[in-house]
Amino acid sequence: MNYLDGSEIVTGDAVLIEHGKTTGAVVAVVEKDRMSEFNVDEPGVMIKAASVGLVYVPVSMFEDQGLRFKSRGSKSNLRWIEPR
């Protein structure tokens, strides 16, 4: 799965959503084969943002949400979440 600029989305990435208003970290990249684990209807990314908690952004909403890559993070710094 890729950002709008074509770069790969990686778990642990620091990102911006809400057109740069909110920062967060990618905690899961949900491809088609994992959609049922997360109980979602479309591939996308789960983002943890301090100001709003967990946010699921489906691929179709990447542009509308202004999802942008900020920097590469570390998977070891994330607190993992369990799928629903």
Side-chain angles (χ1 to χ4, degrees):
M1 188 170 302
N2 297 322
Y3 294 101
L4 294 172
D5 68 5
S7 60
E8 182 182 10
I9 300 173
V10 177
T11 300
D13 283 355
V15 296
L16 297 169
I17 56 174
E18 298 182 320
H19 302 284
K21 296 176 187 169
T22 304
T23 59
V26 175
V27 294
V29 178
V30 182
E31 299 282 1
K32 281 187 175 188
D33 62 337
R34 295 190 67 202
M35 289 174 16
S36 63
E37 291 177 56
F38 287 85
N39 196 29
V40 295
D41 297 326
E42 183 180 344
V45 292
M46 184 70 73
I47 297 168
K48 183 169 185 164
S51 61
V52 294
L54 287 174
V55 177
Y56 187 73
V57 182
V59 171
S60 65
M61 296 296 292
F62 282 6
E63 189 169 352
D64 289 343
Q65 282 294 315
L67 176 66
R68 290 186 294 152
F69 172 76
K70 187 174 176 186
S71 64
R72 290 282 180 227
S74 169
K75 290 181 186 181
S76 64
N77 291 335
L78 291 174
R79 185 173 184 185
W80 294 100
I81 61 164
E82 293 294 319
R84 295 185 232 177

